[in-house]
Amino acid sequence: MKNTIESLEQAQLMDKNDPVGKFRNEFLLPRNGNSPLIYFCGNSLGLQPKRVKDQISQELDKWEEHGVEGHFKPAKPWITYHEELKKNMGTIVGAHSSEIAIMNTLSVNIHLLMVSFYHPTPQRFKIICEHGTFPSDLYAMISQAKFRGLDPGKVIIELKVREGEHTLRTEDIVEAIHHHGSELALVFFGGVNYYTGQAFDIKTITEEGHKAGAIVGFDLAHAAGNIELSLHDWKVDFAVWCTYKYLNSGPGGISGAFVHESHGNRADLHRFTGWWGNDLASRFKMNREFAPAPGADGWQLSTSPIMLMAPLKSSLEIFIEAGFENLVRKRKLLTSCMENIIRSIAVKYAGSIPIRIITPDKDDERGAQLSIVIKKNGRAIFEQLAEKGVVADWREPEVIRVAPAPLYNSFEEVYRFGKVFDLVLEKEIAKRMLVEIAN
Ligand SMILES: *Cc1c(COP(=O)(O)O)cnc(C)c1O
């Protein structure tokens, strides 16, 4: 298959030959009345798998039939409900099941794992992160520093891109890690940056962080279910992610956390603990002394929120059925088709409307998302796209994000997006000419 789409017929043929194309039918696709929308916002909120309703309904039935005994009595009791989720999630992020916990929400998990993995000493207290992290991550780092009685301005090192560039160079990240070396307590990076769509080199960052004697953790909100990850093999110390983006668990869905095997049973780590993190064998003995469950489960605090786990269970099953490596293959092709369409449009309008993709052009430096910067009237063009049925999003100060998700987006949608984008730009030019004439 080539990564250009010349015609509607070609796009439809590519869909027909797409080995994971049939999974689109597993999802409820948003519409505006009777007209289908082109949904490219799976990086913000993934779509609803059709089987979610039935999955939730099954749990409601258990509740109806068994009441509290639903925890133990049914064929699939709630007490072990998380186990299948851990296993399937582990497959997607490259971790052993025992290294995964399904719990809380993302910002909460950032805090919990920073409690365990940010250990400032008078010599080692710095945290390195990318400049322009998602606000929650920055707020968490600042408040964690203050909580330890430290000055966030001295603790947090935010790495900026070079003048005139949009994404960080790995060599500059490595350089910074070496530079702060012996003062570095933690490297806390995104997996894929929410604004630029840049996928960071997690393996290299982890290796270099470890060489400097630091702990290395990642926020994988935009990476989980999007790019290939090998958290265990890369020896990442910890990671956290939400599951409502590429992993389609629904608004405010339950979050994931990874704690590397090498830390899973450490008694010396600080933890904020709760009874659900106690080993199951003694959990209901209600002992005064906390006996952590082995592995990541030991970080759990509260009773499993089954109604939040049910949608994630459905979605993860679809990922496993489709095969994550197949989705990654399609994602690369789909994104690169989209990129080429946008680039040819950018060439067409180069004289009048400067359009530029700031996301890296290499497959292994990005996921599904492309971030488009249109210098003048970007926001108005985004709004026009929305009016014409393209669901993308706008991120201040100047980016339109589009993310074709391989599980449910089609080559035809990518092709149609190109047509809509072209039309919107033509109109924008006509509008500008009118304004000029009027002046
Ligand atoms: C989406 C996202 C969040 C959101 O956090 P919630 O606690 O789920 O609201 C945080 N960090 C990053 C990097 C994100 O992309």
Side-chain angles (χ1 to χ4, degrees), residues 103-114 240-241 255-257:
M103 58 183 193
N104 314 311
T105 46
L106 172 53
S107 301
V108 174
N109 285 345
I110 298 174
H111 279 294
L112 286 180
L113 293 195
M114 281 194 73
V240 288
W241 57 95
S255 170

Side-chain angles (χ1 to χ4, degrees), residues 43-44 104-110 130 132-138 188-195 219-223 240-245 252-255 395 401:
N43 56 342
S44 191
N104 314 311
T105 46
L106 172 53
S107 301
V108 174
N109 285 345
I110 298 174
E130 83 259 35
T133 63
F134 197 84
S136 230
D137 301 63
L138 186 62
F188 185 57
F189 248 75
V192 174
N193 183 271
Y194 81 98
Y195 188 78
D219 183 330
L220 303 175
H222 280 264
V240 288
W241 57 95
C242 51
T243 64
Y244 50 79
K245 292 173 180 165
I254 194 162
S255 170
R395 281 288 172 269
R401 302 190 305 177

Side-chain angles (χ1 to χ4, degrees), residues 9-83:
E9 293 68 37
Q10 189 202 337
Q12 288 169 339
L13 188 65
M14 287 170 92
D15 284 325
K16 214 176 120 210
N17 295 332
D18 172 8
V20 290
K22 65 175 185 204
F23 290 96
R24 176 171 166 85
N25 191 37
E26 289 282 343
F27 288 84
L28 296 163
L29 306 168
R31 314 178 73 80
N32 179 12
N34 277 331
S35 26
L37 297 170
I38 298 178
Y39 192 81
F40 285 158
C41 247
N43 56 342
S44 191
L45 182 69
L47 292 181
Q48 183 184 149
K50 288 178 184 167
R51 47 179 102 168
V52 163
K53 274 194 187 118
D54 183 50
Q55 192 65 54
I56 291 179
S57 185
Q58 282 180 35
E59 304 318 317
L60 292 173
D61 290 347
K62 278 182 211 167
W63 185 16
E64 177 182 341
E65 190 182 336
H66 301 285
V68 69
E69 290 298 335
H71 283 293
F72 302 101
K73 241 185 160 173
K76 289 185 179 164
W78 296 328
I79 193 77
T80 49
Y81 200 82
H82 60 304
E83 284 174 5

Side-chain angles (χ1 to χ4, degrees), residues 385-433:
L385 283 171
E387 199 152 292
K388 301 229 166 344
V390 173
V391 186
D393 69 11
W394 172 260
R395 281 288 172 269
E396 293 294 343
E398 58 174 13
V399 153
I400 299 173
R401 302 190 305 177
V402 283
L407 252 185
Y408 48 76
N409 284 125
S410 64
F411 292 92
E412 179 170 339
E413 285 177 307
V414 166
Y415 176 78
R416 288 192 188 279
F417 164 78
K419 292 289 158 207
V420 173
F421 195 22
D422 193 19
L423 196 73
V424 163
L425 292 168
E426 237 169 59
K427 277 193 151 178
E428 173 68 18
I429 291 197
K431 205 171 77 193
R432 288 186 191 181
M433 277 163 71

Side-chain angles (χ1 to χ4, degrees), residues 362-373:
K362 293 200 188 74
D363 275 340
D364 58 353
E365 291 176 14
R366 68 182 181 198
Q369 173 184 324
L370 295 173
S371 300
I372 309 168
V373 170

